[in-house]
Each structure stands twice: as C-alpha cells, then as structure tokens.
Amino acid sequence: MGRIDVGAAARVVKAGYDRRGEPSPTVVIVLALACIGFSLAFMAAFLWWQPPRYAFFVTLGVLGLPAYAGAAFGAWRGHVIGAAITAVVTTYVSLLPFAATFSIASGVQFQFLAVGFLTLVMVPERFVATRIVFCGVIILTMIGAEVFAQPSVAVVPIDDPVFGVMASVTRLGGIAIVLTSLALILMRTARAERELTRLAAIGEQRANTDDLTGIANRRPAMRVLAEIDADPARTACLALIDIDHFKDINDARGHAVGDDVIREIARRLDRDLGARCVVARWGGDEFLVISRDAGLAVADALKQVRADLAYEQVAIDGDIVTLTLSVGLAYRAPGEGTGAVLAAADRALYEAKTSGRDRISVAGPRR
C-alpha cells in the first residue's frame, strides 16, 4: 500500500473540526480520496480474480467514483456536510450487494460498522435526527446480514485463498477505520472541552475585570473582603481613593477625557500597588486598595502616587491635566468586619475631601 505519510496524517488531525463541531474540508477530502483509492484497488482485484458477478462490482465501482470525486470537490468548495453524507451513503450502498454476494464470511460487517463510525465522525452533533437514522439503518443492516447473508449464500467457496485474502483485508480495513474514527471523535471531544475551558476563562476574566480600566472590578474585591472576614486574626488595610474635582474635569472637557483620567489613575495605582495589593475600581472615579497585610506601607505607596502626579505632567488627549487624589485609609482591628473597616475608610476619605483634598486621612481606632 506504500509508505504512510505521518506528516500528512498529523496535518489532517490538526485540521480536525471547526468550533461548531463540523469536520474540516481537509478531513472530508481525505475521506473521499481514500474511498476512491479503495474502489480502484477492489476493481483491480476483481478484474484479476474474476469471481462470479465481478463485472457488476466493477461497474458499481466505476459508478461510485464520480460520487466520491463530487464529494471531494464539494468539500473543497465548502459544502462539507453534504459532501460527507454523500461519501458515507455511497459507501453504504456499495456494500449492500457485496454482503448479499459474498456473505458475512467476507468481513463486510466490519465495513458496515466502519460506516456507522464514519457517520458519527462526519455528521455534527446538532444533526441529531440524521445521526440517529444513519446509525439505526447501519444496525438493522448488520442484523439483516447476520440473518440473511450466512456463509452458505456466498457465490465463491469460503476456503478460496483469494477470498480469504479479500476477507482479511475487509476486516482489517474496517477495524482501521473504526479506530481512526474513535481517535477523531476523541479529538473532537477534547477540542470541545478546551473550547469550553477557554470560554469559561474569558467569561471569568470579563466578570472580574473593569471594562474601562482593565483592573479588577467590585466582584473580586468583594471576594477578597469575604476572605479577610473569614479569618478574624488576619490584619488588613483598606484605602478608598477618589479623584479630586473629577466632575469638573468631566463637565469641562467631556466624558472621553474623563474616561482617560480614570484609566490613567488606574494604571498608576496598579503599577505601584498591584503587585502587593488588590487594586479595584470601586465605582465611578473611586478606587479601592486592599492589603491583606497591615504591615505593608500602603500609605507610603499612595503618597508616592500623589507625589508623582504632582511632579509629572499628565497629558490627556494632548492637554495637560492637573490631577490630585484624596485618600481615606483604615486598618482592621482583630476580629473586625471588613464592612466596618470600609465604612471607616469612607469616613476618612470624606474627612480628606472636606479638609482641602489632595491628602491622605487615616481613620482612628474603632471600639
């Protein structure tokens, strides 16, 4: 049969299926071309062997060639499902007279089984009725062959050496197709699982990420606060950060500039604090920084962020924008709920804003 091109086989497996579970044109074209090759091989063998009714089977093979060629051409033009069904149906129709003539001693039941597996491979899951009908027909055909195509009906002696070779090739070919089909089905299942995992990861990321800034939103911040609440002994530091005079910037320069300002502050907070703390957009122009370790110098880091804003010129949409931040900072006492700590940070933020803005206010101890 010649050397197996492992590289070509790998490319076929890599081509596999699209994300809807449909076989790629490459898979169907290879199937159709393989059917053409098998047909030519059997036609040549029958012409050499010349068993009874060999002319009928040669004619049947000749008639099947245009169908397989049309299936390959159709798959190439993008009509993948129709091409796959054409190849499967043509093979099934060709096997019926073969079973009636040479009986199950020829191993034809393995070929019927192979056609059933090819149906599962080539017809996507969404065509449920088509798959059920095809597989049901195959099962009934195999039962019928076992009942009506016993070795006694064979037109050649089953001990004929050529018949024995043909039967072995038929069985082994059917087994090879079944195993290949199983590999493709497992590959399709694995690909579907990877796709579901990918989509779930994308969904989880989108659910936890603020669309405007790309940093965390309230959802992961609330989850971290719940984790802190679950450990009464854990220390923590919460900081609420507000952009000073943001409404004035938004009203005077437009929402696009306002969005750019929010993105710039988020970038700086994430750059300077993101490696050690949870930095989240809490809502509007307000951000929340959560440190699970109260010993971290969160206040010093925020002072540096404010100093950088004062020292560096912040260019937004080609204009220089003066930005300052007001910060409310609160430390968690042992056993204190994060809701109370957050409320304390909010009061400290209010104090920072009413005291002239552009400053950090630290909440005092709570009883």
Side-chain angles (χ1 to χ4, degrees), residues 138-225:
I138 293 298
I139 292 172
L140 292 176
T141 303
M142 293 180 66
I143 294 174
E146 291 291 336
V147 174
F148 300 107
Q150 289 294 311
S152 58
V153 306
V155 297
V156 295
I158 60 175
D159 58 353
D160 184 298
V162 178
F163 180 83
V165 172
M166 181 189 72
S168 297
V169 171
T170 303
R171 293 189 187 95
L172 292 176
I175 293 172
I177 294 172
V178 168
L179 293 177
T180 302
S181 299
L182 282 173
L184 289 171
I185 291 170
L186 292 174
M187 181 192 70
R188 179 165 60 185
T189 302
R191 178 166 185 168
E193 290 177 351
R194 289 195 301 270
E195 184 68 9
L196 287 174
T197 302
R198 185 186 71 86
L199 293 175
I202 291 174
E204 182 69 15
Q205 181 182 16
R206 288 179 177 174
N208 291 312
T209 303
D210 178 61
D211 291 335
L212 178 62
T213 62
I215 65 173
N217 57 22
R218 290 180 70 102
R219 187 168 180 257
M222 294 295 290
R223 187 165 57 244
V224 173
L225 292 175

Side-chain angles (χ1 to χ4, degrees), residues 78-97:
H79 306 291
V80 178
I81 302 303
I85 292 176
T86 298
V88 171
V89 170
T90 301
T91 303
Y92 171 75
V93 172
S94 300
L95 289 173
L96 290 175

Side-chain angles (χ1 to χ4, degrees), residues 144-338:
E146 291 291 336
V147 174
F148 300 107
Q150 289 294 311
S152 58
V153 306
V155 297
V156 295
I158 60 175
D159 58 353
D160 184 298
V162 178
F163 180 83
V165 172
M166 181 189 72
S168 297
V169 171
T170 303
R171 293 189 187 95
L172 292 176
I175 293 172
I177 294 172
V178 168
L179 293 177
T180 302
S181 299
L182 282 173
L184 289 171
I185 291 170
L186 292 174
M187 181 192 70
R188 179 165 60 185
T189 302
R191 178 166 185 168
E193 290 177 351
R194 289 195 301 270
E195 184 68 9
L196 287 174
T197 302
R198 185 186 71 86
L199 293 175
I202 291 174
E204 182 69 15
Q205 181 182 16
R206 288 179 177 174
N208 291 312
T209 303
D210 178 61
D211 291 335
L212 178 62
T213 62
I215 65 173
N217 57 22
R218 290 180 70 102
R219 187 168 180 257
M222 294 295 290
R223 187 165 57 244
V224 173
L225 292 175
E227 292 173 0
I228 294 173
D229 276 332
D231 185 358
R234 175 179 286 180
T235 60
C237 174
L238 306 184
L240 281 173
I241 302 152
D242 189 81
I243 304 173
D244 293 330
H245 303 293
F246 176 77
K247 185 178 184 304
D248 296 337
I249 296 172
N250 214 33
D251 292 342
R253 306 200 181 199
H255 293 289
V257 172
D259 288 346
D260 288 339
V261 168
I262 291 175
R263 277 192 287 264
E264 177 64 19
I265 297 301
R267 183 187 68 81
R268 289 170 179 263
L269 290 173
D270 190 56
R271 179 194 65 189
D272 295 343
L273 291 159
R276 297 170 293 168
C277 306
V278 175
V279 179
R281 186 182 178 198
W282 196 238
D285 62 321
E286 196 169 77
F287 299 88
L288 175 64
V289 173
I290 306 172
S291 171
R292 295 182 177 89
D293 183 1
L296 288 176
V298 177
D300 292 339
L302 289 171
K303 286 179 183 178
Q304 186 61 50
V305 172
R306 291 177 51 253
D308 290 344
L309 284 173
Y311 179 76
E312 300 172 4
Q313 291 185 328
V314 180
I316 302 292
D317 197 24
D319 294 333
I320 302 301
V321 180
T322 300
L323 298 177
T324 61
L325 301 176
S326 295
V327 180
L329 201 67
Y331 294 91
R332 184 197 192 199
E336 187 177 18
T338 54

